[in-house]
Amino acid sequence: MTKTVYILNGPNLNLLGQREPEIYGAETLDDVAVACADTAKTAGLTCRFLQSNWEGQLIDWIHEARDAAAGIIINPAALTHTSVAILDALNSFDGPVIEVHISQVHKREAFRHHSYVSQRADAVMAGFGTHGYLLALRHMQHLLA
Ligand code: CA2
């Protein structure tokens, strides 16, 4: 049976491709989901690609992943910089966690330089555009081998 990776996306990422293309690129979140499914298949993994604007929903999916997933890739969006609750939920998950940011957050406003999630993440991607999700999946394949 193939291992499942949850790919979780936080608030406002449903707007990807519709605004601020100079920061986040032109691809929509649906485009990213299709590319992730393709890369996961090549890597011998199954991915569950999810987005919510609600912190509690993301926490519920992290809890669900405790039984259902071997690894988590997460772009918590703005909750990266504010949410101890998401950090606590990720700390309850035993498998590898990779944090992804489309933009190079360290080149941006100071409030984007701190991440609660990085205290749990086994790897962090920032500034690779949406390609970062695919690179994260490849690294997840390596971590789960
Ligand atoms: O670079 C990233 O992936 C971020 O996680 C994106 C978040 C931002 O708050 C983080 O600091 C860095 C913002 C997600 C909102 O995405 C939008 C995309 C297109 C149009 C509007 C919002």
Side-chain angles (χ1 to χ4, degrees):
M1 220 171 72
T2 62
K3 291 177 178 165
T4 298
V5 177
Y6 272 33
I7 306 181
L8 303 179
N9 294 279
N12 298 307
L13 283 164
N14 54 308
L15 299 177
L16 204 65
Q18 297 176 36
R19 283 185 41 219
E20 303 187 80
E22 66 289 355
I23 300 176
Y24 299 113
E27 271 195 309
T28 66
L29 201 63
D30 283 347
D31 294 332
V32 181
V34 168
C36 282
D38 192 47
T39 298
K41 196 173 171 190
T42 306
L45 300 168
T46 299
C47 76
R48 182 144 189 251
F49 193 97
L50 300 161
Q51 187 274 333
S52 180
N53 293 324
W54 295 86
E55 186 175 19
Q57 176 64 82
L58 292 162
I59 291 166
D60 283 347
W61 282 330
I62 294 167
H63 293 173
E64 185 182 297
R66 283 160 47 85
D67 291 325
I72 295 176
I73 295 171
I74 184 165
N75 182 348
L79 294 171
T80 305
H81 319 298
T82 62
S83 181
V84 175
I86 287 182
L87 171 62
D88 286 347
L90 289 170
N91 278 332
S92 77
F93 180 76
D94 286 334
V97 172
I98 305 179
E99 178 181 350
V100 171
H101 298 288
I102 297 166
S103 64
Q104 211 296 53
V105 281
H106 299 287
K107 229 175 148 181
R108 301 181 64 192
E109 304 95 321
F111 68 84
R112 296 186 203 275
H113 298 178
H114 176 262
S115 165
Y116 285 100
V117 169
S118 290
Q119 293 186 32
R120 167 64 181 88
D122 299 293
V124 181
M125 317 276 314
F128 292 85
T130 53
H131 189 55
Y133 286 83
L134 310 184
L135 295 171
L137 263 170
R138 284 302 199 171
H139 187 57
M140 188 60 84
Q141 172 190 18
H142 170 73
L143 292 175
L144 295 177

